[in-house]
Every structure is written in structure tokens, then in C-alpha cells.
Amino acid sequence: MANIISDETMEYVGILAKLELSEDEKEQAKSDMGKMLDYIDKLNELDTTDVEPMSHVFPVNNVFREDVVTNGDDRDNILKNAPGVKEGAFKVPKTVE
């Protein structure tokens, strides 16, 4: 295991993650983090010279639709349903004194 996590690093990670770990839990977490970093080092050994970078594993296309107004300015019909109207807007009871 080439990546050794220091006690200070574990303490800092615990503060960032807002975790209170016992000494046994800290030792286990240090071991787990070291194994993860070793695995990342192993992945860095791969030859990726002919591999194009990508942002997703699967091809992603724009799924958004065009923003087209379909109902237009229908204020008068909308305000017909209002219990009260004032100056072209809904009139509601006062909620804050």
C-alpha cells in the first residue's frame, strides 16, 4: 500500500464530513482510503493514448424542446376565475399587518 493516510488527514476529513469516529473507525477509514488511492494509482497505469475524452459513458443528446408560447396573453380569461381583481391582477386578502 503506497498511499498512507496520516492521522492529520483523517482528522481533517472527519471535520469536513462532520463525523465523529472512534480510533478503530479512524484506522479502518485510513485503510479503506489507502486502498481507494491505490486503486486509482492502478487505473493511472492504463495506456489511454488513443482513447478520446468523454463526459458521459452513453451518448447524450439535447432533450429540451423549443420554448414556444402556446396560450399567449390571455389575462382577461384568467382573471375571470379570480374572486377579486384590482388593476389587472389578482386581489387577495392582506396577510401581513
Side-chain angles (χ1 to χ4, degrees):
M1 185 163 76
N3 293 298
I4 298 182
I5 309 298
S6 68
D7 290 334
E8 293 82 21
T9 302
M10 265 324 296
E11 198 66 37
Y12 183 64
V13 169
I15 291 168
L16 290 177
K18 297 182 180 180
L19 297 174
E20 292 182 21
L21 302 174
S22 68
E23 287 304 315
D24 292 337
E25 291 171 328
K26 284 181 187 176
E27 288 302 316
Q28 182 63 42
K30 280 171 52 175
S31 172
D32 291 344
M33 287 176 71
K35 289 176 185 175
M36 286 185 259
L37 292 174
D38 287 340
Y39 184 71
I40 291 170
D41 285 344
K42 188 172 195 135
L43 289 175
N44 285 334
E45 295 172 6
L46 293 173
D47 180 21
T48 58
T49 52
D50 295 329
V51 178
E52 288 189 36
M54 60 182 168
S55 60
H56 297 282
V57 177
F58 300 108
V60 176
N61 299 320
N62 186 356
V63 294
F64 298 115
R65 61 172 170 76
E66 287 293 319
D67 190 13
V68 178
V69 177
T70 57
N71 59 353
D73 185 18
D74 204 13
R75 180 188 307 227
D76 294 332
N77 283 333
I78 293 171
L79 290 176
K80 284 181 188 176
N81 295 320
V85 177
K86 181 179 180 182
E87 298 175 10
F90 288 99
K91 183 177 176 183
V92 295
K94 191 175 189 177
T95 57
V96 179
E97 296 290 331

